């Protein structure tokens, strides 16, 4: 026989020498407080004879088996944040808060103290707890979401049951989460609104810094920046045209500043209509405009542009009830032939206007 039979102080074991499997027979003892002396034991004709505190105990080792009784497990109490849940009526519950406690029991009354439990909470951790006789479990600080509490257990002879008791529940999202979320959304909306207003203000400020408020054209600041930038490339060729609107002071004095402003706007639109999309025009001062013609082919092409500008500016302007006869003086300088710096180029273009 490859099986050893052993008695401890108050339990009986079998040990298989080949498989090294230990089996504990928890339910063989007829009395709860029976103790074995440990000095008087023998095996006689497949009977394990042991001396005990209550007399002689015999065990038929040939026919002895572990108890296969399959008890069921019941959740005896469930408290969610101190509120009792009636498990007989509810199989799934929504919980306000983050604290839940379970009490459970396997219905095996032979030796209840021998029953062992192991549990886990899916959604929080998939690890089973170490087997123990503790039949309560409590979980704190659970995040909102779905959970499945599971318990596996033994009978009083230590045999694990195949059934797993389950209880599903949902931790509801606390109301203050919604308050915080709505507050954050409102705050985000205010931030986006502020950034949008701020961006609009910056664009407006940039436009005010670089553009003429009356005609909408680039102003002197933008023109100087652009001219300095393109004159740093000596391989580039372009023409700078300076235009003065003739007798603008007389028009202001005769028809008023409001009419004078409308005249400036109309003149700037006429000049823009004479140019290509890639050409540059700016209002340099009160009645002075500057144009940069980039990548013109020949001087004849440049002459055509300047003639068209003077022709368009000389057409009558119908402003309100008055007709204004305007005109413009034009000066031209070509980079880098007429000046290799922005200052020299502008001076020569302005000078050519009076030749």
């Amino acid at each position: 026989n490859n099986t050893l039979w052993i008695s401890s102080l108050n339990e009986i074991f079998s040990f298989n020498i080949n498989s090294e499997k230990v089996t504990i027979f928890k339910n063989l003892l007829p009395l709860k407080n029976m103790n074995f002396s440990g000095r008087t034991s023998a095996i006689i004709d497949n009977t394990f004879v042991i001396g005990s505190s209550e007399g002689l105990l015999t065990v038929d080792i040939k026919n002895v088996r572990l108890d296969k009784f399959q008890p069921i497990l019941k959740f005896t109490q469930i408290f969610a944040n101190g509120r009792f849940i009636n498990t007989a009526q509810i199989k799934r519950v929504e919980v306000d808060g983050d604290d839940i406690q379970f009490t459970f029991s396997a219905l095996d009354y032979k030796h209840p103290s021998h029953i062992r439990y192991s549990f886990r909470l899916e959604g929080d951790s998939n690890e089973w707890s170490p087997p123990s006789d503790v039949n309560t479990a409590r979980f704190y600080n659970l995040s909102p979401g779905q959970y499945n509490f599971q318990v596996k257990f033994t009978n009083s002879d230590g045999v694990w049951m195949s059934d797993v008791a389950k209880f599903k529940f949902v931790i509801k999202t606390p109301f203050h989460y919604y308050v915080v979320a709505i507050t954050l959304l409102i705050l985000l909306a205010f931030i986006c609104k502020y950034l949008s207003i701020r961006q609009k203000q910056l664009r407006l400020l940039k436009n005010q810094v670089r553009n003429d408020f009356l005609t909408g054209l680039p102003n002197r600041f933008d023109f100087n920046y652009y001219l300095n930038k393109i004159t740093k490339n000596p391989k580039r060729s372009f023409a700078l045209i300076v235009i003065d609107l003739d007798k603008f002071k007389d028009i202001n004095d005769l028809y008023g500043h409001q009419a004078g402003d409308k005249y400036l706007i109309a003149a700037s639109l006429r000049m823009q209509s004479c140019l290509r999309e890639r050409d540059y025009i700016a209002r340099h001062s009160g009645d002075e405009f500057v144009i940069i013609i980039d990548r013109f082919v020949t001087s004849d092409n440049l002459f055509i542009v300047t003639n068209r500008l003077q022709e368009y500016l000389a057409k009558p302007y119908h402003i309100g009830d008055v007709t204004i006869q305007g005109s413009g003086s034009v000066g031209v300088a070509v980079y880098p032939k007429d000046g290799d710096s922005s200052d020299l180029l502008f001076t020569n273009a302005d000078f050519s206007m009076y030749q």
Side-chain angles (χ1 to χ4, degrees), residues 229-263:
K229 179 181 177 181
I230 59 177
T231 52
K232 290 180 180 179
N233 183 3
K235 296 182 180 180
R236 187 168 183 171
S237 179
F238 61 89
L240 172 63
I241 301 175
V242 178
I243 300 176
D244 269 353
L245 299 181
D246 300 330
K247 300 179 180 180
F248 176 66
K249 184 178 183 301
D250 295 340
I251 293 172
N252 261 341
D253 293 341
L254 186 60
Y255 301 109
H257 289 286
Q258 187 173 4
D261 288 345
K262 290 180 179 180
Y263 169 63

Side-chain angles (χ1 to χ4, degrees), residues 26-27 32 108-117 132-134 154-156:
K26 296 179 177 291
N27 291 330
K32 284 187 176 181
D108 186 341
Y109 303 109
K110 290 182 180 179
H111 291 283
S113 62
H114 294 169
I115 298 174
R116 294 294 178 265
Y117 303 95
S132 71
D133 60 352
V134 176
T154 71
N155 62 15
S156 59

Side-chain angles (χ1 to χ4, degrees), residues 140-271:
Y140 302 90
N141 301 321
L142 294 176
S143 300
Q146 298 184 3
Y147 295 89
N148 185 9
F149 180 65
Q150 301 177 346
V151 182
K152 57 184 180 180
F153 56 98
T154 71
N155 62 15
S156 59
D157 227 10
V159 179
W160 286 95
M161 300 295 98
S162 59
D163 291 337
V164 177
K166 300 177 182 179
F167 187 86
K168 296 181 179 180
F169 63 96
V170 176
I171 297 292
K172 295 167 63 175
T173 302
F175 178 74
H176 68 270
Y177 277 36
Y178 294 105
V179 174
V180 171
I182 292 172
T183 303
L184 289 176
L185 287 175
I186 294 173
L187 181 61
L188 182 62
F190 274 114
I191 292 173
C192 291
K193 182 68 175 178
Y194 170 78
L195 291 177
S196 176
I197 294 173
R198 185 63 176 165
Q199 191 175 27
K200 186 176 180 180
Q201 290 174 338
L202 290 174
R203 285 198 302 267
L204 181 62
L205 181 62
K206 181 180 178 181
N207 186 66
Q208 290 174 343
V209 170
R210 288 185 171 271
N211 290 80
D212 175 52
F213 73 94
L214 180 64
T215 62
L217 295 175
N219 59 15
R220 180 200 294 257
F221 175 82
D222 190 82
F223 166 72
N224 290 335
Y225 173 82
Y226 182 65
L227 185 61
N228 286 328
K229 179 181 177 181
I230 59 177
T231 52
K232 290 180 180 179
N233 183 3
K235 296 182 180 180
R236 187 168 183 171
S237 179
F238 61 89
L240 172 63
I241 301 175
V242 178
I243 300 176
D244 269 353
L245 299 181
D246 300 330
K247 300 179 180 180
F248 176 66
K249 184 178 183 301
D250 295 340
I251 293 172
N252 261 341
D253 293 341
L254 186 60
Y255 301 109
H257 289 286
Q258 187 173 4
D261 288 345
K262 290 180 179 180
Y263 169 63
L264 286 174
I265 294 171
S268 70
L269 291 174
R270 289 187 183 185
M271 286 185 280

